Structure formats: structure tokens, C-alpha cells
Amino acid sequence: MKICIPVLEDKGMESRISAHFGSAPRFAIVDADTADCRIIINHNEHHAHGMCHPLAAIGREHPDAVVVGGIGSGALARLQAAGIEVFLSDARTVAQAVE
């Protein structure tokens, strides 16, 4: 399963998770089967409230799921409409979220 997780920094599996999906500066793209982790930049980080376009930021990655600490209703609806499962987590790092 390919998982996308919004993160604050580029520290691989030890990256801290951002509290809000759309405003995260980066995303960790993790293969849950192999624990392979890549960090990509969120080019949609700065947007007006309610104007998050998550698929523009992560759509090319084709994740199966997103793990978030927080997410707005618009971004949530767009991800779900694209068939991407969204999980709320209180994990602090990517490694904890993948576990």
C-alpha cells in the first residue's frame, strides 16, 4: 500500500507529521510493505482557506491512502472522491503512522 503523509521536514521515516494536510510543506510517500520513504514538496502549501487542491500536490503519486493529523472538509472530500482512503492519526512521526 502506498501512503501519503503530510510532514514538516525531510527526515525520512523520522519526519514529524504536520497537524494540517493542506499546509504541510512536504509529503512523505511511503510504501507500507517495504518502508521505502520519499519526501516531496507540497507546491500547494500556500493557498486561501478552503482552496486546498490535494490531488495537484500528490495526484501523480497515486497513493492508496493518506494519514493525517488534521484535514479540511474540502480536501477530505476531494481525496475521497478520487478513491483515496483518509485516516486520522495522532502519530508524531511517519514511522509511527505507518506502524
Side-chain angles (χ1 to χ4, degrees), residues 51-98:
M51 300 302 294
C52 178
H53 295 286
L55 296 177
I58 65 167
R60 287 183 228 149
E61 298 296 330
H62 304 289
D64 301 299
V66 172
V67 176
V68 298
I71 190 167
S73 61
L76 175 62
R78 288 179 187 103
L79 290 167
Q80 290 175 329
I84 299 171
E85 292 186 84
V86 180
F87 298 95
L88 186 62
S89 173
D90 60 359
R92 293 184 171 261
T93 67
V94 171
Q96 290 172 351
V98 172

Side-chain angles (χ1 to χ4, degrees), residues 13-53:
M13 294 294 282
E14 295 307 312
S15 297
R16 292 175 297 144
I17 295 176
S18 173
H20 194 283
F21 176 81
S23 300
R26 294 171 175 76
F27 295 108
I29 307 298
V30 182
D31 181 324
D33 298 324
T34 65
D36 179 53
C37 178
R38 295 182 298 111
I39 306 294
I40 62 171
I41 294 173
N42 178 7
H43 294 290
N44 188 236
E45 174 185 3
H46 304 289
H47 57 273
H49 180 72
M51 300 302 294
C52 178
H53 295 286

